[in-house]
Amino acid sequence: MPVFLIRRVLTMVLTALCLTFVVFYLTNLPPNLEKLAKSEASSRMSDADVESWIERNGYGRPVLVRYGEWLGITPGWTRTEDGVTTGRCIERGQDPATAPLRCGILQGDWGFSTVFKQPVSLIIAERLGATGVLMLWVMIVMVPASLLIGVLSGMREGSRLDRGLSIFSIASTATPEYVSGVVLIALFASTSTGLSPWLAEQGWISGKTLFMGTATSALDSGITFWNFGLPVMTIALYGIGYIARMTRASMTEVMTAQYIRTARLKGVSFGNVVMKHALRNALIAPFTVIMLQFPWLLNGVVIVETLFNYKGFGWTLVQAAGNNDIELLLACSVVAVFVVLMTQLISDIGYVFLNPRIRVS
Amino acid sequence: MTATTDWDPSKPILEIENLSISFFTRLREIPAVMDFSCTVMPGEAMGLVGESGCGKSTVALAVMRYLGKNGRITGGSIRFKGRDLTTMDDEALRLIRGSEIAMIYQEPMASLNPAMRIGAQLAEVPMIHEGIGREASWNLARQIVADVRLPDPDRILKAYPHQLSGGQQQRIVIAMALMSKPALLILDEPTTALDVTVEAGIVDLVKDLGRKYGTSILFISHNLGLILDVCDRLCVMYSGEAVETGAVAQVFDRMRHPYTQALFRSIPLPGADKNTHPLVSIPGNFPLPHERPPGCNFGPRCTYFQAGRCDAQKVPMVPLAGGGRHETRCLRSAEIDWDKPPVAAKAVARTPVGEVVLKMTDLRKYYEVSGGLFGGSLKKVVKANETLSFEAREGETLAIVGESGCGKSTFAKVLMGLETATSGKIMLFDQDIQDIPIEKRGTDTVSSVQMVFQNPFDTLNPSMTVGRQIIRALEIFGQGASDAERHDRMLELLDLVKLPRAFADRMPRQLSGGQKQRVGIARAFAGGARIVVADEPVSALDVSVQAAVTDLLMEIQRKNRTTLLFISHDLSIVRYLSDRVMVMYLGHVVEMGTTDQVFSPPYHPYTEALLSAVPIADTRVKKKRIVLEGDIPSAMNPPPGCPFQTRCRWKSQVPGNLCDTMMPPIRVLAGDHQIKCHLSDAVLAGMEPVIRIAAQ
């Protein structure tokens, strides 16, 4: 097991390096730098000015060297002009002698966001935390619901229950979030249409709407059913259908296996056959899918966070990309790569525990 | 336990009367079993024999009332201890299943839950049916596991199914069935997936346990030899009906149904020989359930068929004069002269063997198996073939015999060029081919060494017509100048394998197993193969078809003077058709000689055990019972010295610890009979034959 883990971690590091380099290269293409120069200095700069700005701020050197600086393995650039030494690692007003030699993500220096005018590490920590809370609730809703639906419909293939649940899961997974989000807002979060006016009239809800159409207040004044219900539901709905279909397929296959017949003919009752004999075997396939949902959620969350104006990781990503915030964009991609690789590692390890036939040596 | 008090132990434990079962599809109702009756007395072992699709497993599952969504009992009754199972509700059935009737299945690996420990699966049974605690159940499980003669019960209880060998898994399934001391045990082809020596052990176990607990047994098999070993009575089924039932001795020695007779004549019993006493195959094919003929189902394939009589009415089951509940479903049972020998198929002269065409010298094939998931540093070596040396001559049939894992398939792969040899030489005609993989071999070499595969169902491309597949082979082998020529050649090949020319346009799914295997043979011979490796070519086929396919192979061989390397684990068929036999164990050739030499003493101890393990469907045959203990050692970690020493019953006859320390040399006995064994000449000479045919 330790050997396996070490090998996996090394593979992860290598993958992360490759992926971040690709992102680094693409975000540092000359047009992006030109845009950066114009937005940082002056939008009416001449081409020569842009050229010299890029040169002065260390963007003119080869990509590989700058990638090394960003990582923190090569020393940051320094430049002495008119007796003033500036450099990547020298903050304004700092004595160049006391500045560290290297400053990259290995040293914990993620750079400075040009949009938010804050250190990138601060922004990422805050936004990722917000999205983490959202994802946690999505998972809490999505995983049990989808497994329940999948197992219920898979245990008796072709039954009326199976047909009904299958229609629901196909419909929900065929509806993208930007559609279901809008529909849900119209249904539950509007004072003039949908259910809310009727519910308010009946006196069953105290506010004007059942849910709130925006989740902004969740960040300031805490999460409530009222402000968080809709975003969670929108994301979960899509995933529920998907995972439920996977679970159902796996469950129906397991239910026709010979060991299920063995169990039935041992005299085990149907409920126990499902719970004790079928469930663990049926969960092996959906488990991988559930783990794959994490990276997917991280991206899918972009739409929902924008829709419900929830300032999380997805929203930050959109801001960074839209405003050519190179450092922030890079950090976002590092986080995304890390989440993908971590969940894959967890899913591989979990797989071993679910399936006794797989052993890592 | 409950509600059985009103049942009298002198009455039958299981009474099936006029049972009919149908499966309902969207198109039609498919009758699977019609008018089936049988009775099992307490302590009796009843055998159900028939070919695949005859409805024998359906009967077993009907007794368990487990027919799936589409299956339904449409008539008749199944009474267990006097209570009708067909009208019982789910809850009552659940109490009977596993506690009073238990079932043992064909594939032990598939019948055990892969994600549950053995102990939990066993202990579940008494926890459900007897309501005893977890601790007590596990203790009981430990006891039963010891009862089915598994070593180290504690380790086994904690293991997962995949950590056990096939034989051990089947013993666990048996243990599971015995956990609640059932009154009736149903065994559905319990040994089909196992090797012969393992099968012998399982059969012994079942017989002993049946005796020990007084359990009645319903034993389902297609193997008549096994039925003779295990059962007191049997019932022969054909196409959904019982055609003959009676005591084993009655049916085996005085069969009164043409199908039973045909079945016995199509299996190779001792005394059958490909040249002087060829097998008689049953003509035609098994009818599909919705295409059964009017009247007698066996009519169209029966040699005693009388038009206007046999196809005029449904034939009932009639008791025979001899008594002893011997019944047959034949109108003409009194008229037929049952003792008349079969119309002797033409005896043929022995084919003379020619030049040496294939010569292997000291062939070795080792595989390296990596340790970890990502190719760790711990490399293990699997020695699949060790010092394999032999010659094969033109027109000769050389049988290669051994249990799974003995290296016989690896040897075939190396010969075909799918793998290259680790060391040693393969001389094909006059060319060294041990290092040339198949993609680098010339068309001539490839087309002259061909293979007939074990499973005809998987080896034909399902989306290509039969004719197209054969033409494709002709194209690859560079046969024929034009498409028209190749098409003609393809039709000739169909003639050769005795398939109607119209089959050229059919898809493989429209063919039966035997017909598919014929296509496989046609394809192998498409390039004029001179050496054909037949890897268990008939083991996936039904008994009645096996004879026909075997004869076809023999006939083509005679005509083309092909060298046939016949890989098999079925010693009966090997004895029938081979000229020479090579016995393999753990990658070593332990014995080689002519068929007569190998099948009579002196034997290599492994050959002796193998011969004794093969069930023979002949009441005259008396066999010495030698059951091998334990499993075949892993080829990754073979025992030191002689590979067979861990299971050899003659080991004590060898002085010192020679067997433990030294690989025995190849000894050449009289008539070029080779044995790899340390036993002294005196001991070898003193061996008794395993199989004796009692005087008639």
Side-chain angles (χ1 to χ4, degrees), chain B residues 348-626:
Chain B
V348 261
R350 207 184 167 77
T351 355
V353 293
E355 294 286 289
V356 172
V357 288
L358 176 72
K359 187 178 162 131
M360 291 210 180
T361 329
D362 273 341
L363 182 84
R364 280 168 214 261
K365 176 66 192 172
Y366 293 173
Y367 289 100
E368 280 191 354
V369 185
S370 61
L373 205 61
F374 288 84
S377 51
L378 274 164
K379 285 265 182 357
K380 287 179 181 166
V381 175
V382 176
K383 298 178 176 174
N385 284 152
E386 280 269 36
T387 58
L388 211 63
S389 301
F390 71 91
E391 293 173 355
R393 292 167 181 276
E394 190 186 48
E396 181 184 48
T397 308
L398 174 66
I400 299 154
V401 179
E403 294 175 278
S404 49
C406 74
K408 51 192 199 295
S409 298
T410 307
F411 145 78
K413 277 185 197 158
V414 174
L415 174 61
M416 298 297 298
L418 297 172
E419 305 270 0
T420 50
T422 308
S423 72
K425 265 188 184 307
I426 306 176
M427 280 279 277
L428 183 70
F429 312 118
D430 43 9
Q431 200 188 347
D432 275 342
I433 55 162
Q434 67 274 7
D435 297 323
I436 312 171
I438 193 156
E439 57 270 20
K440 291 198 183 130
R441 290 186 182 180
T443 315
D444 273 356
T445 319
V446 173
S447 63
S448 62
V449 187
Q450 276 299 305
M451 201 158 170
V452 176
F453 300 95
Q454 175 170 15
N455 195 339
F457 304 92
D458 295 340
T459 44
L460 294 182
N461 187 338
S463 55
M464 228 190 232
T465 63
V466 167
R468 184 72 208 121
Q469 308 207 21
I470 298 177
I471 289 176
R472 185 83 195 107
L474 288 169
E475 282 169 8
I476 291 169
F477 297 151
Q479 301 280 314
S482 64
D483 280 352
E485 215 169 287
R486 277 191 284 270
H487 190 257
D488 289 345
R489 178 90 186 98
M490 179 269 290
L491 293 177
E492 281 167 32
L493 280 167
L494 285 180
D495 293 344
L496 179 76
V497 295
K498 294 182 181 149
L499 284 176
R501 288 190 166 199
F503 272 41
D505 297 323
R506 296 220 184 156
M507 291 310 237
R509 61 167 181 278
Q510 296 167 295
L511 270 55
S512 70
Q515 290 164 341
K516 279 185 202 164
Q517 195 56 298
R518 283 167 194 265
V519 176
I521 293 172
R523 190 170 58 174
F525 281 94
R530 294 178 60 196
I531 297 178
V532 168
V533 181
D535 188 1
E536 310 252 12
V538 294
S539 65
L541 304 177
D542 270 319
V543 186
S544 69
V545 188
Q546 281 188 5
V549 173
T550 316
D551 274 350
L552 174 73
L553 266 176
M554 296 287 99
E555 205 183 306
I556 300 177
Q557 182 192 23
R558 266 185 217 112
K559 208 183 290 172
N560 299 5
R561 297 187 53 72
T562 319
T563 306
L564 192 64
L565 298 181
F566 191 88
I567 300 177
S568 181
H569 68 276
D570 184 350
L571 285 172
S572 313
I573 205 140
V574 164
R575 175 201 280 251
Y576 169 70
L577 59 74
S578 57
D579 302 313
R580 286 200 302 141
V581 180
M582 179 164 112
V583 183
M584 288 183 74
Y585 186 79
L586 270 188
H588 292 266
V589 177
V590 294
E591 182 167 1
M592 183 157 67
T594 63
T595 309
D596 288 341
Q597 284 168 346
V598 172
F599 278 79
S600 55
Y603 306 110
H604 183 277
Y606 176 63
T607 316
E608 186 193 28
L610 211 53
L611 280 174
S612 130
V614 179
I616 298 173
D618 193 330
T619 50
R620 294 171 300 150
V621 169
K622 293 279 168 282
K623 269 191 315 187
K624 206 156 54 170
R625 205 87 177 113
I626 303 160

Side-chain angles (χ1 to χ4, degrees), chain B residues 84-116:
Chain B
D84 194 347
L85 292 174
T86 54
T87 54
M88 216 172 252
D89 63 28
D90 280 350
E91 195 50 32
L93 272 174
R94 197 170 72 75
L95 292 177
I96 283 187
R97 287 172 179 168
S99 75
E100 300 212 48
I101 310 178
M103 193 158 172
I104 292 163
Y105 315 87
Q106 181 165 0
E107 284 169 65
M109 179 70 202
S111 343
L112 291 171
N113 190 334
M116 230 168 139

Side-chain angles (χ1 to χ4, degrees), chain A residues 4 7-8 157 258-259 261-262 264-269 276-277 280-281 356-357 360-361, chain B residues 66 69 94 97-98 105 110-115 121 124-125 128-129 160 162 176 372 374:
Chain A
F4 166 77
R7 204 172 288 145
R8 280 305 300 259
E157 193 186 2
Q258 288 193 23
Y259 55 82
R261 183 179 74 182
T262 310
R264 288 286 278 158
L265 297 188
K266 265 199 281 196
V268 183
S269 63
K276 279 193 187 162
H277 290 265
R280 182 170 165 188
N281 288 296
R357 278 166 292 185
V360 286
S361 54
Chain B
Y66 194 79
K69 264 180 298 205
R94 197 170 72 75
R97 287 172 179 168
Y105 315 87
S111 343
L112 291 171
N113 190 334
Q121 298 192 46
E124 201 177 30
V125 179
I128 299 165
H129 293 294
Y160 284 102
H162 67 99
M176 191 148 69
F374 288 84

Side-chain angles (χ1 to χ4, degrees), chain B residues 50-82:
Chain B
E51 296 173 78
S52 51
C54 73
K56 53 191 194 304
S57 296
T58 312
V59 169
L61 289 173
V63 173
M64 285 303 228
R65 281 284 310 280
Y66 194 79
L67 289 168
K69 264 180 298 205
N70 305 324
R72 212 176 308 149
I73 295 172
T74 51
S77 66
I78 304 170
R79 275 198 304 283
F80 174 74
K81 288 188 174 179

Side-chain angles (χ1 to χ4, degrees), chain A residues 155-175:
Chain A
M155 69 185 190
R156 290 188 204 271
E157 193 186 2
S159 64
R160 206 166 291 170
L161 184 69
D162 175 25
R163 296 264 161 81
L165 291 174
S166 288
I167 289 172
F168 167 75
S169 23
I170 292 172
S172 77
T173 199
T175 317

